[in-house]
């Protein structure tokens, strides 16, 4: 019942809107409005390029300026991608951490074996003698 009530309310609202704006809104306007997408957030605007733009040699000064900005952005991205630690240092550090982890496992789990293929066998449960 709630769904039908909402559907009826929605239809009634649309009919009232058509009656109110019927003389101003044409069929073409309704059809054209489907092309646009309404966004509630402005996050997508952060990636847009601001300022003047030029294409195909219409304004060479602006195109050179655009290229210099793009080059600066590329340089900043390349600088951020540079690593602080070499691969050899990382592998040595990883081996140390792995060794610590294995030693902790030995203390926590008595069934843990240094040889990973052959864990120690679990002792069988013996029934108590009455």
């Amino acid at each position: 019942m709630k769904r039908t009530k909402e559907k009826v309310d929605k239809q009634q609202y649309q009919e009232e809107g058509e009656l109110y704006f019927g003389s101003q809104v044409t069929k073409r306007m309704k059809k054209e409005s489907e092309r646009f997408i309404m966004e509630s957030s402005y996050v997508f605007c952060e990636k847009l390029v601001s300022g003047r733009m030029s294409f195909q040699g219409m304004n060479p000064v602006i195109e050179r300026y655009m290229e210099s900005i793009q080059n600066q952005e590329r340089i900043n991205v390349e600088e951020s991608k540079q690593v602080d630690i070499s691969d050899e240092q990382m592998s040595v550090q990883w081996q140390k951490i792995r060794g610590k982890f294995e030693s902790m496992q030995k203390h926590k789990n008595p069934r843990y074996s240094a040889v990973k293929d052959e864990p120690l066998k679990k002792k069988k449960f013996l029934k108590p003698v009455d």
Side-chain angles (χ1 to χ4, degrees), residues 24-44:
Q24 297 174 358
V25 179
T26 63
K27 290 181 183 178
R28 182 176 174 222
M29 292 170 95
K30 290 180 185 177
K31 186 177 180 181
E32 294 293 323
S33 67
E34 294 173 357
R35 294 189 325 177
F36 302 106
I37 299 172
M38 303 300 281
E39 290 285 336
S40 60
S41 176
Y42 58 88
V43 174
F44 68 94

Side-chain angles (χ1 to χ4, degrees), residues 14-27 30:
Q14 286 178 348
E15 290 172 0
E16 289 175 1
E18 288 175 5
L19 289 174
Y20 187 73
F21 295 108
S23 61
Q24 297 174 358
V25 179
T26 63
K27 290 181 183 178
K30 290 180 185 177

Side-chain angles (χ1 to χ4, degrees), residues 42-96:
Y42 58 88
V43 174
F44 68 94
C45 292
E46 293 176 354
K47 296 179 183 176
L48 296 177
V49 177
S50 61
R52 295 179 66 186
M53 298 178 71
S54 173
F55 302 98
Q56 299 178 351
M58 295 300 278
N59 195 340
V61 175
I62 294 177
E63 288 184 21
R64 279 182 264 152
Y65 177 70
M66 288 171 50
E67 285 180 22
S68 67
I69 290 176
Q70 288 176 351
N71 289 337
Q72 289 174 357
E73 289 177 1
R74 279 192 217 122
I75 290 170
N76 291 340
V77 169
E78 289 174 5
E79 288 176 358
S80 66
K81 287 184 179 179
Q82 291 178 351
V83 293
D84 295 335
I85 301 173
S86 68
D87 292 338
E88 294 83 19
Q89 291 174 337
M90 182 62 103
S91 64
V92 168
Q93 192 68 19
W94 179 253
Q95 291 296 327
K96 289 179 183 177

